[in-house]
Amino acid sequence: MEKFLSCLVLPATLWAVQAHAAITVTDDIGNTIVLQKPAQRIISLSPHVTELIYAAGAGERIVATVKYSDYPAAARNIPRIGDNRQIDIERVIALKPDLLIVWMHGAFERQLEPLKKSGIPYYFSDPRKLEQIPETLLKMGAMFGTEKQAQAAAGDFRQQLAQLSNRYQARSNVKVFYQVWGKPIYTLNDRNIVSDVIRTCGGENIFGKLPVPAPMVNLEAVLAENPEVVVSGDSKNQGVSGIEQWKPYTSMLAVKNHNLVAIDGDELNRPGPRIIEGVKAVCEALEGARSNRNISTNAAVGQKP
Protein backbone atom coordinates (compact mmCIF):
# COMPACT_ATOMS: atom_id res chain seq x y z
CA MET A 1 0.00 0.00 0.00
CA GLU A 2 2.84 2.39 0.93
CA LYS A 3 4.56 1.62 -2.37
CA PHE A 4 1.32 2.39 -4.23
CA LEU A 5 0.89 5.73 -2.41
CA SER A 6 4.48 6.71 -3.13
CA CYS A 7 3.84 6.18 -6.84
CA LEU A 8 0.97 8.67 -6.62
CA VAL A 9 2.82 11.24 -4.54
CA LEU A 10 6.00 11.34 -6.64
CA PRO A 11 4.34 12.33 -9.95
CA ALA A 12 2.24 14.92 -8.10
CA THR A 13 5.38 16.40 -6.57
CA LEU A 14 7.14 16.52 -9.95
CA TRP A 15 4.11 18.24 -11.48
CA ALA A 16 4.13 20.85 -8.74
CA VAL A 17 7.80 21.60 -9.33
CA GLN A 18 7.30 21.85 -13.09
CA ALA A 19 4.20 24.03 -12.70
CA HIS A 20 6.23 26.60 -10.73
CA ALA A 21 9.45 26.37 -12.70
CA ALA A 22 10.75 29.76 -13.78
CA ILE A 23 10.46 30.74 -17.45
CA THR A 24 13.72 32.13 -18.84
CA VAL A 25 14.18 33.72 -22.26
CA THR A 26 16.67 36.10 -23.88
CA ASP A 27 15.39 39.18 -25.69
CA ASP A 28 16.69 40.84 -28.87
CA ILE A 29 19.35 42.95 -27.12
CA GLY A 30 20.67 40.11 -24.99
CA ASN A 31 18.78 40.70 -21.74
CA THR A 32 17.62 37.66 -19.77
CA ILE A 33 13.97 37.76 -18.72
CA VAL A 34 12.81 35.51 -15.89
CA LEU A 35 9.10 34.98 -15.18
CA GLN A 36 7.85 32.84 -12.32
CA LYS A 37 4.71 31.95 -14.27
CA PRO A 38 3.20 32.63 -17.72
CA ALA A 39 2.36 36.31 -18.23
CA GLN A 40 -1.35 37.12 -17.86
CA ARG A 41 -1.35 40.94 -18.09
CA ILE A 42 0.77 42.16 -20.99
CA ILE A 43 1.43 45.68 -22.25
CA SER A 44 2.59 46.00 -25.87
CA LEU A 45 4.58 49.13 -26.67
CA SER A 46 4.77 48.71 -30.45
CA PRO A 47 2.34 47.78 -33.24
CA HIS A 48 4.56 44.93 -34.43
CA VAL A 49 4.68 43.57 -30.87
CA THR A 50 0.88 43.53 -30.73
CA GLU A 51 0.76 41.48 -33.94
CA LEU A 52 3.34 39.03 -32.57
CA ILE A 53 1.43 38.58 -29.31
CA TYR A 54 -1.79 37.77 -31.15
CA ALA A 55 0.01 35.31 -33.43
CA ALA A 56 1.56 33.64 -30.39
CA GLY A 57 -1.90 33.08 -28.91
CA ALA A 58 -2.16 35.69 -26.15
CA GLY A 59 -3.88 38.67 -27.75
CA GLU A 60 -6.68 38.66 -25.16
CA ARG A 61 -4.11 39.22 -22.42
CA ILE A 62 -2.96 42.61 -23.74
CA VAL A 63 -4.24 45.19 -21.23
CA ALA A 64 -2.82 48.24 -23.05
CA THR A 65 -0.90 49.18 -26.17
CA VAL A 66 0.15 52.21 -28.21
CA LYS A 67 -1.18 54.19 -31.15
CA TYR A 68 -1.28 52.43 -34.54
CA SER A 69 -1.65 48.96 -32.98
CA ASP A 70 -4.46 48.19 -35.39
CA TYR A 71 -3.92 44.58 -36.45
CA PRO A 72 -5.67 42.23 -36.10
CA ALA A 73 -9.01 44.02 -35.91
CA ALA A 74 -9.49 43.07 -32.25
CA ALA A 75 -6.38 45.11 -31.37
CA ARG A 76 -8.24 48.34 -32.16
CA ASN A 77 -10.28 47.92 -28.99
CA ILE A 78 -7.28 47.72 -26.66
CA PRO A 79 -6.80 50.84 -24.44
CA ARG A 80 -3.98 53.17 -25.56
CA ILE A 81 -1.31 54.48 -23.18
CA GLY A 82 0.68 56.58 -25.65
CA ASP A 83 2.56 56.39 -28.94
CA ASN A 84 6.11 55.87 -30.19
CA ARG A 85 7.17 59.25 -28.80
CA GLN A 86 5.64 59.24 -25.33
CA ILE A 87 3.91 56.75 -23.05
CA ASP A 88 1.99 57.41 -19.85
CA ILE A 89 4.24 55.66 -17.34
CA GLU A 90 1.83 56.26 -14.45
CA ARG A 91 -0.93 54.44 -16.31
CA VAL A 92 1.44 51.63 -17.22
CA ILE A 93 2.25 51.06 -13.56
CA ALA A 94 -1.40 51.45 -12.50
CA LEU A 95 -2.45 48.66 -14.89
CA LYS A 96 -0.20 46.25 -12.95
CA PRO A 97 1.17 44.32 -15.92
CA ASP A 98 3.33 41.28 -15.29
CA LEU A 99 5.20 41.82 -18.58
CA LEU A 100 6.06 44.72 -20.88
CA ILE A 101 7.16 44.01 -24.44
CA VAL A 102 8.84 47.04 -25.90
CA TRP A 103 10.64 48.24 -29.02
CA MET A 104 13.83 50.20 -28.41
CA HIS A 105 14.13 53.49 -30.29
CA GLY A 106 15.51 56.92 -29.53
CA ALA A 107 12.32 58.38 -28.10
CA PHE A 108 11.82 55.42 -25.77
CA GLU A 109 15.27 55.42 -24.17
CA ARG A 110 14.54 58.43 -21.96
CA GLN A 111 11.54 56.62 -20.46
CA LEU A 112 13.39 53.38 -19.82
CA GLU A 113 14.78 54.29 -16.41
CA PRO A 114 11.36 54.87 -14.74
CA LEU A 115 10.18 51.51 -16.13
CA LYS A 116 13.28 49.81 -14.76
CA LYS A 117 12.57 51.28 -11.34
CA SER A 118 8.99 49.98 -11.47
CA GLY A 119 10.26 46.42 -11.28
CA ILE A 120 8.00 45.24 -14.12
CA PRO A 121 9.75 42.63 -16.31
CA TYR A 122 10.35 43.90 -19.84
CA TYR A 123 11.32 42.17 -23.09
CA PHE A 124 12.86 44.10 -26.00
CA SER A 125 11.58 43.04 -29.42
CA ASP A 126 13.53 44.27 -32.43
CA PRO A 127 13.77 41.56 -35.14
CA ARG A 128 16.12 42.67 -37.91
CA LYS A 129 16.16 39.41 -39.85
CA LEU A 130 13.18 37.43 -41.08
CA GLU A 131 14.42 34.29 -39.34
CA GLN A 132 14.11 36.09 -35.99
CA ILE A 133 10.33 36.34 -36.30
CA PRO A 134 9.57 32.63 -35.72
CA GLU A 135 12.22 32.62 -32.98
CA THR A 136 10.37 35.50 -31.30
CA LEU A 137 7.05 33.69 -31.60
CA LEU A 138 8.51 30.66 -29.81
CA LYS A 139 9.93 32.83 -27.02
CA MET A 140 6.57 34.52 -26.60
CA GLY A 141 4.85 31.15 -26.50
CA ALA A 142 7.15 30.23 -23.61
CA MET A 143 6.48 33.51 -21.77
CA PHE A 144 2.71 33.21 -22.23
CA GLY A 145 2.33 29.46 -21.81
CA THR A 146 0.86 29.26 -25.33
CA GLU A 147 3.55 27.06 -26.84
CA LYS A 148 1.23 25.06 -29.07
CA GLN A 149 -0.20 28.04 -30.94
CA ALA A 150 3.17 29.80 -31.09
CA GLN A 151 4.84 26.71 -32.53
CA ALA A 152 2.16 26.44 -35.22
CA ALA A 153 2.56 30.11 -36.19
CA ALA A 154 6.36 29.83 -36.20
CA GLY A 155 6.28 26.67 -38.31
CA ASP A 156 3.96 28.22 -40.88
CA PHE A 157 6.15 31.32 -41.17
CA ARG A 158 9.32 29.27 -41.58
CA GLN A 159 7.75 27.12 -44.27
CA GLN A 160 6.59 30.10 -46.32
CA LEU A 161 9.92 31.89 -45.88
CA ALA A 162 11.87 28.83 -47.00
CA GLN A 163 9.74 28.51 -50.13
CA LEU A 164 10.27 32.16 -51.08
CA SER A 165 13.98 32.06 -50.32
CA ASN A 166 14.53 28.89 -52.33
CA ARG A 167 12.64 30.33 -55.27
CA TYR A 168 14.04 33.85 -55.46
CA GLN A 169 17.23 34.40 -53.45
CA ALA A 170 19.62 33.02 -56.08
CA ARG A 171 17.98 34.89 -58.96
CA SER A 172 19.85 37.66 -60.80
CA ASN A 173 20.46 40.71 -58.62
CA VAL A 174 18.06 43.67 -58.75
CA LYS A 175 19.00 47.10 -57.37
CA VAL A 176 16.15 48.38 -55.20
CA PHE A 177 15.33 51.75 -53.68
CA TYR A 178 12.98 51.45 -50.71
CA GLN A 179 11.15 54.65 -49.88
CA VAL A 180 9.66 55.15 -46.44
CA TRP A 181 8.60 58.74 -47.07
CA GLY A 182 8.65 60.94 -50.14
CA LYS A 183 9.02 64.55 -49.04
CA PRO A 184 11.65 64.65 -47.64
CA ILE A 185 12.91 61.33 -48.99
CA TYR A 186 13.59 58.77 -46.27
CA THR A 187 14.84 55.23 -46.70
CA LEU A 188 16.24 52.43 -44.50
CA ASN A 189 19.68 50.86 -44.25
CA ASP A 190 20.69 47.23 -43.81
CA ARG A 191 20.05 47.28 -40.06
CA ASN A 192 16.34 47.18 -40.84
CA ILE A 193 14.40 44.03 -41.66
CA VAL A 194 13.30 45.53 -44.99
CA SER A 195 16.81 44.93 -46.34
CA ASP A 196 16.50 41.27 -45.39
CA VAL A 197 13.22 41.14 -47.32
CA ILE A 198 14.98 42.56 -50.38
CA ARG A 199 17.88 40.09 -50.04
CA THR A 200 15.48 37.16 -49.71
CA CYS A 201 13.98 38.16 -53.04
CA GLY A 202 17.36 38.38 -54.76
CA GLY A 203 17.70 42.14 -54.54
CA GLU A 204 20.07 44.75 -53.15
CA ASN A 205 19.12 47.82 -51.08
CA ILE A 206 20.99 50.65 -52.83
CA PHE A 207 21.34 52.62 -49.56
CA GLY A 208 21.86 49.62 -47.31
CA LYS A 209 25.45 50.57 -46.43
CA LEU A 210 24.64 54.03 -45.10
CA PRO A 211 25.46 54.33 -41.37
CA VAL A 212 22.15 55.88 -40.26
CA PRO A 213 19.28 53.37 -39.76
CA ALA A 214 16.69 55.65 -41.39
CA PRO A 215 18.66 58.10 -43.55
CA MET A 216 17.27 61.06 -45.45
CA VAL A 217 18.56 61.08 -49.03
CA ASN A 218 18.18 63.61 -51.81
CA LEU A 219 16.74 63.23 -55.28
CA GLU A 220 20.16 63.40 -56.93
CA ALA A 221 21.47 60.50 -54.83
CA VAL A 222 18.60 58.25 -55.89
CA LEU A 223 18.98 59.15 -59.56
CA ALA A 224 22.74 58.55 -59.36
CA GLU A 225 22.17 55.02 -58.02
CA ASN A 226 19.68 54.42 -60.86
CA PRO A 227 17.65 51.68 -59.13
CA GLU A 228 15.91 49.08 -61.25
CA VAL A 229 12.95 48.97 -58.84
CA VAL A 230 11.45 51.60 -56.55
CA VAL A 231 9.32 50.22 -53.72
CA SER A 232 7.23 52.71 -51.78
CA GLY A 233 5.97 51.53 -48.40
CA ASP A 234 2.71 53.43 -48.55
CA SER A 235 0.51 54.16 -45.57
CA LYS A 236 -3.25 53.61 -45.67
CA ASN A 237 -3.72 57.30 -44.78
CA GLN A 238 -1.16 58.63 -47.24
CA GLY A 239 -3.53 59.62 -50.03
CA VAL A 240 -1.17 59.84 -53.01
CA SER A 241 1.28 56.96 -53.46
CA GLY A 242 4.96 57.70 -52.91
CA ILE A 243 5.85 56.34 -56.35
CA GLU A 244 4.10 59.22 -58.13
CA GLN A 245 7.00 61.62 -57.57
CA TRP A 246 9.34 59.40 -59.62
CA LYS A 247 7.32 59.17 -62.82
CA PRO A 248 8.76 62.36 -64.40
CA TYR A 249 12.31 60.94 -64.21
CA THR A 250 12.08 58.78 -67.30
CA SER A 251 15.83 58.22 -67.51
CA MET A 252 15.79 56.25 -64.27
CA LEU A 253 15.73 52.52 -64.96
CA ALA A 254 12.82 51.86 -62.59
CA VAL A 255 10.66 54.37 -64.47
CA LYS A 256 11.84 53.35 -67.93
CA ASN A 257 11.01 49.68 -67.29
CA HIS A 258 7.77 50.39 -65.37
CA ASN A 259 9.06 49.05 -62.05
CA LEU A 260 7.48 51.51 -59.61
CA VAL A 261 5.73 49.49 -56.91
CA ALA A 262 3.56 50.57 -53.97
CA ILE A 263 3.22 48.08 -51.10
CA ASP A 264 1.38 48.44 -47.78
CA GLY A 265 4.09 49.77 -45.48
CA ASP A 266 2.65 47.92 -42.48
CA GLU A 267 3.47 44.64 -44.24
CA LEU A 268 7.11 45.65 -44.63
CA ASN A 269 8.03 47.97 -41.77
CA ARG A 270 6.47 45.89 -38.98
CA PRO A 271 8.62 42.83 -38.16
CA GLY A 272 5.74 40.52 -37.37
CA PRO A 273 4.17 37.46 -39.03
CA ARG A 274 2.29 39.60 -41.57
CA ILE A 275 5.59 40.66 -43.14
CA ILE A 276 5.54 37.41 -45.11
CA GLU A 277 2.88 39.04 -47.31
CA GLY A 278 5.27 41.93 -47.87
CA VAL A 279 8.02 39.48 -48.81
CA LYS A 280 5.74 37.90 -51.41
CA ALA A 281 4.88 41.30 -52.86
CA VAL A 282 8.53 42.40 -53.07
CA CYS A 283 9.60 39.10 -54.63
CA GLU A 284 6.87 39.40 -57.25
CA ALA A 285 7.96 42.98 -57.97
CA LEU A 286 11.60 41.98 -58.44
CA GLU A 287 10.65 39.04 -60.60
CA GLY A 288 8.53 41.39 -62.68
CA ALA A 289 11.56 43.66 -63.04
CA ARG A 290 13.62 40.73 -64.35
CA SER A 291 10.93 40.02 -66.93
CA ASN A 292 10.72 43.71 -67.90
CA ARG A 293 14.50 43.74 -68.22
CA ASN A 294 14.29 41.02 -70.87
CA ILE A 295 11.42 42.74 -72.67
CA SER A 296 13.37 46.01 -72.83
CA THR A 297 16.46 44.22 -74.14
CA ASN A 298 14.49 42.44 -76.83
CA ALA A 299 12.77 45.68 -77.83
CA ALA A 300 16.11 47.45 -78.12
CA VAL A 301 17.56 44.66 -80.27
CA GLY A 302 14.53 44.78 -82.54
CA GLN A 303 14.73 48.55 -83.12
CA LYS A 304 15.65 49.71 -86.63
CA PRO A 305 18.83 51.81 -86.89
Side-chain angles (χ1 to χ4, degrees), residues 93-167:
I93 296 172
L95 285 166
K96 298 181 179 179
D98 46 23
L99 180 64
L100 303 176
I101 304 185
V102 305
W103 173 52
M104 178 60 79
H105 52 86
F108 181 76
E109 288 183 22
R110 67 177 183 272
Q111 300 186 84
L112 181 59
E113 197 57 37
L115 288 177
K116 284 183 178 179
K117 291 179 180 177
S118 73
I120 304 167
Y122 54 90
Y123 176 104
F124 284 107
S125 173
D126 188 18
R128 296 182 182 181
K129 297 287 182 65
L130 291 165
E131 64 188 18
Q132 288 180 270
I133 292 174
E135 292 172 2
T136 301
L137 288 168
L138 295 176
K139 290 178 182 180
M140 287 187 171
M143 291 190 293
F144 309 151
T146 58
E147 290 90 345
K148 187 174 181 180
Q149 186 162 343
Q151 287 169 3
D156 180 63
F157 188 94
R158 280 176 171 153
Q159 182 181 31
Q160 293 189 70
L161 179 58
Q163 290 173 346
L164 291 166
S165 181
N166 291 338
R167 182 175 180 182

Side-chain angles (χ1 to χ4, degrees), residues 83-250:
D83 53 30
N84 64 350
R85 291 182 299 274
Q86 185 75 29
I87 60 170
D88 188 335
I89 294 177
E90 290 184 358
R91 282 191 65 200
V92 169
I93 296 172
L95 285 166
K96 298 181 179 179
D98 46 23
L99 180 64
L100 303 176
I101 304 185
V102 305
W103 173 52
M104 178 60 79
H105 52 86
F108 181 76
E109 288 183 22
R110 67 177 183 272
Q111 300 186 84
L112 181 59
E113 197 57 37
L115 288 177
K116 284 183 178 179
K117 291 179 180 177
S118 73
I120 304 167
Y122 54 90
Y123 176 104
F124 284 107
S125 173
D126 188 18
R128 296 182 182 181
K129 297 287 182 65
L130 291 165
E131 64 188 18
Q132 288 180 270
I133 292 174
E135 292 172 2
T136 301
L137 288 168
L138 295 176
K139 290 178 182 180
M140 287 187 171
M143 291 190 293
F144 309 151
T146 58
E147 290 90 345
K148 187 174 181 180
Q149 186 162 343
Q151 287 169 3
D156 180 63
F157 188 94
R158 280 176 171 153
Q159 182 181 31
Q160 293 189 70
L161 179 58
Q163 290 173 346
L164 291 166
S165 181
N166 291 338
R167 182 175 180 182
Y168 295 109
Q169 197 163 39
R171 302 280 284 159
S172 59
N173 185 56
V174 178
K175 291 176 64 178
V176 180
F177 170 56
Y178 180 71
Q179 179 174 282
V180 178
W181 196 253
K183 295 180 181 180
I185 304 170
Y186 276 93
T187 185
L188 298 170
N189 75 357
D190 282 344
R191 292 180 59 192
N192 192 280
I193 200 167
V194 170
S195 276
D196 199 37
V197 172
I198 294 170
R199 283 191 296 270
T200 298
C201 297
E204 173 193 355
N205 178 356
I206 61 172
F207 293 116
K209 304 306 180 186
L210 292 181
V212 180
M216 183 172 67
V217 296
N218 58 34
L219 173 68
E220 291 73 17
V222 179
L223 294 176
E225 289 290 341
N226 196 21
E228 193 171 358
V229 174
V230 172
V231 175
S232 176
D234 287 356
S235 165
K236 300 182 185 73
N237 304 317
Q238 192 166 317
V240 178
S241 173
I243 62 174
E244 294 298 321
Q245 72 188 79
W246 300 106
K247 290 183 177 179
Y249 302 97
T250 54

Side-chain angles (χ1 to χ4, degrees), residues 259-281:
N259 298 327
L260 301 176
V261 183
I263 297 175
D264 183 352
D266 290 349
E267 293 183 354
L268 283 175
N269 300 326
R270 296 185 184 183
R274 200 162 45 129
I275 200 173
I276 203 69
E277 299 304 320
V279 180
K280 292 175 184 176

